[in-house]
Amino acid sequence: MARMKFICDTERCIECNSCATACKNEHEVPWGVNRRRVVTINDGVIGQEKSVSVACMHCSDAPCMAVCPVDCFYRTDEGVVLHNKDACIGCGYCSYACPFGAPQFPSNGTFGLRGKMDKCTFCAGGPEENGSPEEFEKYGRNRLSEGKLPACAEMCSTKALLGGDGDVVADIFRTRVITRGKGSEVWGWGTAYGNKPQQDSVNQEMAK
Amino acid sequence: MMRAAVVMAALLLAACGEVDQAKQGAGVERGDQAAYTGAHGTIPAKGWQAGNRGAWEKQIRSRGQLQNEYNRIAR
């Protein structure tokens, strides 16, 4: 069974923000809400400054789910962490719990006044009929049900951001690391999913 | 008295357990349709049939490989 994951390859990210733009456009995300954004790590440190695209990582053991007082989160069969905006009370606990700063709180639009949380859905919509106008209004487009992958990953100009079945994206990343001989660090992977992608096999290959 | 204290403690600790947050948790139907069932009114990607879970997973894996530029260049 597919298990959806994101990887951002910091060796490749050029901070073009096409991922954030694609996300905004695909889901018509309101002004002031950023489901995905590009951040700079080690800012100003010569040789160590990197850019990384960050959104909800759909963690294996999601802290947002654990702290939600109204139990509005759920995990799909593909491992995508989604939430029910009809149940959300906008308390913000998830925002404090999330290590990636993913939960957003719109101040305008459909859910602005009631303070519903909004976040990346891995382009998988939410608890409404797939592809329906209601689903689009609340959660954005459901690309997974169209047989497509998240718009941010598919639009990434350098393919720094990989999204899809965890085995597939980890294998693509592993091949890259072996080919270039460096940059095996995956920002956020350990926090979100536990172990790094096939780290031992990468290290063994690079040692040869 | 002792029995009442045990019952009270059990009631107070009842909320401390883990909640099943799977899509269809214990007694909970969260009302989300599986992705492989397709979406109405949209233009799906070619190469798979809505409702066929195996075909959908194959489609997602093969589409994921489009992110692998090593497949597109001579090595």
Side-chain angles (χ1 to χ4, degrees), chain A residues 154-176:
Chain A
E154 294 208 321
M155 290 296 286
C156 180
S157 54
T158 60
K159 293 288 168 259
L161 182 63
L162 302 170
D165 184 17
D167 292 340
V168 172
V169 294
D171 194 49
I172 294 171
F173 182 74
R174 177 176 167 273
T175 308
R176 277 183 196 175

Side-chain angles (χ1 to χ4, degrees), chain A residues 156-208:
Chain A
C156 180
S157 54
T158 60
K159 293 288 168 259
L161 182 63
L162 302 170
D165 184 17
D167 292 340
V168 172
V169 294
D171 194 49
I172 294 171
F173 182 74
R174 177 176 167 273
T175 308
R176 277 183 196 175
V177 172
I178 291 166
T179 305
R180 69 191 176 204
K182 63 170 186 171
S184 64
E185 300 81 19
V186 190
W187 191 89
W189 182 283
T191 305
Y193 312 125
N195 295 329
K196 290 182 178 176
Q198 303 159 337
Q199 191 67 52
D200 292 340
S201 62
V202 169
N203 290 339
Q204 284 168 9
E205 291 282 347
M206 288 174 67
K208 287 178 185 174

Side-chain angles (χ1 to χ4, degrees), chain A residues 1 4 12 65 71 73-75 77-78 82 126-127 129-131 144-149 153-154 161-163 165 168 172 175-176 179, chain B residues 19 21-23 30-35 37-40 42-45 48 53 56-57 59-61 63-65 67-70 75:
Chain A
M1 185 184 293
M4 300 301 173
R12 287 191 173 211
M65 297 174 103
D71 189 25
F73 290 91
Y74 61 98
R75 181 175 284 106
D77 295 340
E78 296 81 39
L82 298 176
E129 186 185 358
N130 287 349
L144 281 193
S145 69
E146 298 171 17
K148 299 167 187 169
L149 291 170
E154 294 208 321
L161 182 63
L162 302 170
D165 184 17
V168 172
I172 294 171
T175 308
R176 277 183 196 175
T179 305
Chain B
V19 178
Q21 291 174 319
K23 195 171 73 177
R30 295 175 192 270
D32 197 4
Q33 288 180 288
T37 60
H40 84 87
T42 58
I43 303 170
W48 68 289
R53 181 174 204 123
W56 179 83
E57 289 186 356
Q59 160 69 15
I60 290 296
R61 278 196 293 272
R63 192 151 174 129
Q65 283 296 342
Q67 299 172 103
N68 187 0
E69 68 280 4
Y70 292 122
R75 302 178 80 181

Side-chain angles (χ1 to χ4, degrees), chain A residues 3-205:
Chain A
R3 172 73 176 80
M4 300 301 173
K5 292 178 181 176
F6 280 124
I7 288 180
C8 186
D9 185 349
T10 52
E11 293 291 319
R12 287 191 173 211
C13 182
I14 57 171
E15 204 175 348
C16 69
N17 276 291
S18 64
C19 50
T21 309
C23 176
K24 279 266 190 189
N25 182 61
E26 193 76 3
H27 305 296
E28 297 180 13
V29 180
W31 182 255
V33 175
N34 297 293
R35 288 184 176 185
R36 178 168 289 284
R37 63 213 182 281
V38 181
V39 300
T40 306
I41 49 179
N42 299 326
D43 195 9
V45 182
I46 296 170
Q48 294 178 43
E49 192 173 296
K50 306 279 184 192
S51 297
V52 60
S53 178
V54 185
C56 172
M57 292 287 278
H58 304 275
C59 301
S60 300
D61 185 11
C64 54
M65 297 174 103
V67 300
C68 180
V70 293
D71 189 25
C72 76
F73 290 91
Y74 61 98
R75 181 175 284 106
T76 70
D77 295 340
E78 296 81 39
V80 179
V81 176
L82 298 176
H83 71 297
N84 183 350
K85 285 192 177 179
D86 292 335
C88 176
I89 56 173
C91 67
Y93 284 13
C94 52
S95 176
Y96 288 105
C98 178
F100 301 104
Q104 304 281 298
F105 293 88
S107 57
N108 55 13
T110 306
F111 295 101
L113 296 176
R114 290 177 60 197
K116 305 289 186 183
M117 187 273 279
D118 187 83
K119 73 171 190 69
C120 161
T121 63
F122 209 91
C123 288
E128 294 285 349
E129 186 185 358
N130 287 349
S132 64
E134 293 77 22
E135 184 182 57
F136 184 80
E137 186 182 9
K138 292 180 186 177
Y139 307 102
R141 197 164 152 208
N142 191 335
R143 290 173 58 88
L144 281 193
S145 69
E146 298 171 17
K148 299 167 187 169
L149 291 170
C152 53
E154 294 208 321
M155 290 296 286
C156 180
S157 54
T158 60
K159 293 288 168 259
L161 182 63
L162 302 170
D165 184 17
D167 292 340
V168 172
V169 294
D171 194 49
I172 294 171
F173 182 74
R174 177 176 167 273
T175 308
R176 277 183 196 175
V177 172
I178 291 166
T179 305
R180 69 191 176 204
K182 63 170 186 171
S184 64
E185 300 81 19
V186 190
W187 191 89
W189 182 283
T191 305
Y193 312 125
N195 295 329
K196 290 182 178 176
Q198 303 159 337
Q199 191 67 52
D200 292 340
S201 62
V202 169
N203 290 339
Q204 284 168 9
E205 291 282 347

